[in-house]
């Protein structure tokens, strides 16, 4: 029997962290930490994915993410935050980015998708990460800002290459995610 996946929620607003936990607990084991330091103290190999707020007192979600990756944890991480994405996200090691407010369906969909990511080959993971960053920037930046950004141009090149590699892998991967729908969503 497969074990129930564990989701780490790092959210400084305790009521919001508890609400996310309530939404997820029927399907997942959930740990809620209300600051970055506590999250890092309790970081272990039982965690299957993390949801991080970016703006918290003490350690920010960005810093927590850096430490997670520095310690060699490769589980999926989503930023769930009120911070609108900026070009700095291109270099960050997260797998998805949701801007608050977030509803229950969006959070459940995000967690379900990311929990399944480790079972996919690296090419698909890379494509998903780049597509998420591309969509986040396109939702928050004007066309002129995007066109004048070297980071965004680099992201588009990486995205195109990752898409080609992912397309080659899709036929051999289980149908857990319909990538054609993801591509349509991120290309629009």
């Amino acid at each position: 029997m497969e074990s129930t996946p564990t989701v780490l929620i790092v959210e400084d607003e305790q009521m919001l962290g508890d609400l996310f936990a309530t939404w997820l607990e029927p399907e997942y084991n959930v740990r809620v930490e209300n600051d970055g330091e506590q999250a890092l103290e309790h970081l272990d190999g039982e965690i299957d994915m993390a949801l991080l707020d970016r703006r918290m007192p003490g350690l920010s979600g960005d810093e927590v993410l850096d430490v997670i990756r520095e310690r060699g944890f490769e589980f999926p991480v989503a930023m769930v935050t009120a911070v609108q994405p900026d070009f700095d996200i291109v270099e960050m090691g997260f797998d998805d980015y949701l801007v608050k407010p977030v509803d229950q369906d969006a959070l459940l969909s995000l967690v379900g998708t990311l929990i399944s990511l480790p079972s996919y080959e690296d090419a698909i993971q890379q494509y998903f990460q780049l597509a998420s960053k591309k969509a986040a920037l396109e939702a928050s930046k004007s066309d002129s800002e995007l066109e004048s950004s070297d980071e965004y141009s680099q992201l588009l090149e990486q995205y195109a290459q990752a898409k080609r590699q992912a397309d080659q892998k899709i036929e051999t991967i289980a149908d857990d995610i319909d990538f054609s729908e993801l591509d349509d969503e991120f290309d629009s």
Side-chain angles (χ1 to χ4, degrees), residues 53-70:
D53 186 8
R54 285 190 76 182
R55 190 175 297 143
M56 298 183 292
L59 286 180
S60 70
D62 297 6
E63 293 168 313
V64 172
L65 174 63
D66 288 344
V67 172
I68 287 170
R69 296 304 186 225
E70 286 169 8

Side-chain angles (χ1 to χ4, degrees), residues 23-96:
W23 290 347
L24 295 172
E25 281 175 342
E27 295 182 48
Y28 306 100
N29 294 320
V30 179
R31 296 183 193 175
V32 179
E33 300 293 349
N34 297 118
D35 68 55
E37 290 89 354
Q38 286 178 347
L40 293 177
E41 286 175 19
H42 299 114
L43 197 60
D44 61 39
E46 294 179 18
I47 297 169
D48 295 292
M49 80 155 299
L51 303 173
L52 303 178
D53 186 8
R54 285 190 76 182
R55 190 175 297 143
M56 298 183 292
L59 286 180
S60 70
D62 297 6
E63 293 168 313
V64 172
L65 174 63
D66 288 344
V67 172
I68 287 170
R69 296 304 186 225
E70 286 169 8
R71 290 187 183 173
F73 291 101
E74 295 181 9
F75 54 76
V77 175
M79 306 308 270
V80 181
T81 180
V83 177
Q84 291 293 326
D86 204 346
F87 294 111
D88 65 334
I89 69 168
V90 172
E91 297 300 320
M92 294 175 69
F94 63 81
D95 298 281
D96 209 340

Side-chain angles (χ1 to χ4, degrees), residues 68-127:
I68 287 170
R69 296 304 186 225
E70 286 169 8
R71 290 187 183 173
F73 291 101
E74 295 181 9
F75 54 76
V77 175
M79 306 308 270
V80 181
T81 180
V83 177
Q84 291 293 326
D86 204 346
F87 294 111
D88 65 334
I89 69 168
V90 172
E91 297 300 320
M92 294 175 69
F94 63 81
D95 298 281
D96 209 340
Y97 197 102
L98 283 182
V99 177
K100 296 175 189 172
V102 176
D103 66 27
Q104 183 175 4
D105 290 339
L107 190 70
L108 288 171
S109 176
L110 169 76
V111 171
T113 299
L114 291 184
I115 284 289
S116 67
L117 271 183
S119 66
Y120 298 117
E121 295 192 37
D122 290 342
I124 303 302
Q125 290 179 27
Q126 172 124 14
Y127 166 71

